Amino acid sequence: MNENIFAALFLSFLAGAATCIGGLLAFFVKKDNFKFLALGLGFSAGVMIYVSFMEILPQAQVSLTGVFGYNSAGWIAIASFFAGIVIASLIDTCLPQGHHLEDDALSQKNKLKHLGLFTALTLALHNFPEGLATFMAAMQSPALGVSIAVAVAVHNIPEGIAVALPIYHATGRRGKAFWYSALSGMAEPVGAIVGFFFLKALLHEAAFGVLFALIAGIMVYISLDELLPTAHEYGDPHKVIWGVVGGMMIMALSLQML
């Protein structure tokens, strides 16, 4: 039993640590390479939009269907999804935006920093239940746990990019960009530990369903309101779209192969 717990926690840790791979890109990108920034933000938006609609929201409805039935589950999932968008908007207004009287360069840096912090916070919220799901699956079946951990790790890499790139361009500090991306991923093992030892009795299928639908809404909001508009400011719109398509394609292939 103890060996199973250790192995499950280790899988959750590895899945979360994949954000570090995306964060490491900050070490190899020139600070004034805005084309890569735009492409990277578009790529991250594609990943987040695709995984929200094709994986997280459907999984939410599956979890809710087992409790409420198909029709009611659909309405609850829809309501939770749009509630997530409202929550994201409220979080957005609470984060520092910078001052209108600042010069353009400083204002852009503050905007990028805001984007990085907002993305890191939301991805941490997203990774928390993922870590718990990976842990629980590994406890039931090591093979299933490995499959889920690999799938999570694959889409955590571009999520790490989404955190690291704007923070690096805002601060010029590679280490800071890396650690923010790493910390957002470490919500996975934290979710596994906290969820298993403290919240296990409270977390059931209905709670998971609502939580995942909320997260899908939050991620779509970030993509449409933050990632894509910022990407268009720094790069050719057509290249940004190809970044979005590339992110969707990579996510689609990774989910299809698992």
Side-chain angles (χ1 to χ4, degrees), residues 4 8 132-145 148 200 205:
N4 288 343
L132 178 59
T134 302
F135 179 85
M136 293 299 190
M139 288 291 292
Q140 295 177 0
S141 168
L144 177 61
I148 292 177
K200 185 179 179 181
E205 286 297 305

Side-chain angles (χ1 to χ4, degrees), residues 161-204:
I161 296 173
V163 174
L165 279 180
I167 290 179
Y168 171 55
H169 280 268
T171 65
R173 296 170 61 182
R174 291 183 172 90
K176 189 171 186 177
F178 173 79
W179 285 115
Y180 269 104
S181 65
L183 287 173
S184 69
M186 286 304 98
E188 300 235 358
V190 171
I193 295 170
V194 174
F196 181 73
F197 291 107
F198 298 102
L199 303 177
K200 185 179 179 181
L202 301 176
L203 291 173
H204 45 78

Side-chain angles (χ1 to χ4, degrees), residues 84-125:
I85 292 177
V86 173
I87 290 171
S89 178
L90 293 175
I91 295 173
D92 195 11
T93 59
C94 292
L95 290 176
Q97 302 281 345
H99 301 289
H100 295 294
L101 296 179
E102 294 171 329
D103 62 74
D104 290 341
L106 186 57
S107 178
Q108 287 298 321
K109 287 183 178 181
N110 283 336
K111 185 174 182 179
L112 285 172
K113 187 175 182 180
H114 166 84
L115 171 59
L117 292 175
F118 188 26
T119 305
L121 175 61
T122 306
L123 290 180
L125 293 174

Side-chain angles (χ1 to χ4, degrees), residues 84-85 88-89 92 118 216-227:
I85 292 177
S89 178
D92 195 11
F118 188 26
I218 292 172
M219 292 178 70
V220 169
Y221 176 91
I222 290 178
S223 299
L224 298 180
D225 185 70
E226 299 280 345
L227 292 175

